[in-house]
């Protein structure tokens, strides 16, 4: 299965790929995501495991996402998993 590539520092990717509640203030961390805006809400956990693709409306699991930043893949261990 091919992964969806998300460029972390790309403005257009930040508009397209959002947390499940629709915020762009998410960050990848330790095999999941964290959303700053969600974490500020009472009774809401900032941790989540799926990004919403606003273009298609689909939720994309963390292991289905290949994150890139200016130096390359963000999670090389996740990107290598299952590719051997």
């Amino acid at each position: 299965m091919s992964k969806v590539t998300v460029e972390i520092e790309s403005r257009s990717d930040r508009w397209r790929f959002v947390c499940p509640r629709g915020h762009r203030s998410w960050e990848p961390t330790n095999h999941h995501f964290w959303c700053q805006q969600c974490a500020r809400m009472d009774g809401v956990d900032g941790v989540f495991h799926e990004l919403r693709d606003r273009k298609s409306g689909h939720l994309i699991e963390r292991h289905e996402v290949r994150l890139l930043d200016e130096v390359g893949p963000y999670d090389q261990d996740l990107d290598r998993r299952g590719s051997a």
Side-chain angles (χ1 to χ4, degrees):
M1 171 179 32
S2 66
K3 293 186 175 201
V4 174
T5 299
V6 177
E7 294 184 29
I8 298 170
E9 297 163 2
S10 165
R11 193 172 166 105
S12 62
D13 278 2
R14 286 298 183 145
W15 277 97
R16 179 176 174 181
F17 299 99
V18 295
C19 85
R21 288 188 166 80
H23 305 128
R24 296 183 321 270
S25 61
W26 59 268
E27 295 297 331
T29 177
N30 299 332
H31 307 291
H32 60 272
F33 301 102
W34 179 81
C35 177
Q36 181 182 41
Q37 285 184 276
C38 287
R40 290 181 180 168
M41 299 169 68
D42 287 335
V44 176
D45 189 354
V47 173
F48 60 98
H49 298 277
E50 301 169 314
L51 287 177
R52 180 171 304 281
D53 180 347
R54 289 179 41 170
K55 186 175 182 179
S56 70
H58 293 112
L59 290 172
I60 306 165
E61 294 280 339
R62 175 67 179 89
H63 67 275
E64 298 173 326
V65 176
R66 181 171 188 249
L67 297 167
L68 294 178
D69 63 13
E70 63 185 27
V71 287
Y74 182 83
D75 269 341
Q76 290 184 352
D77 61 327
L78 280 179
D79 290 336
R80 280 192 301 259
R81 215 176 267 173
S83 63

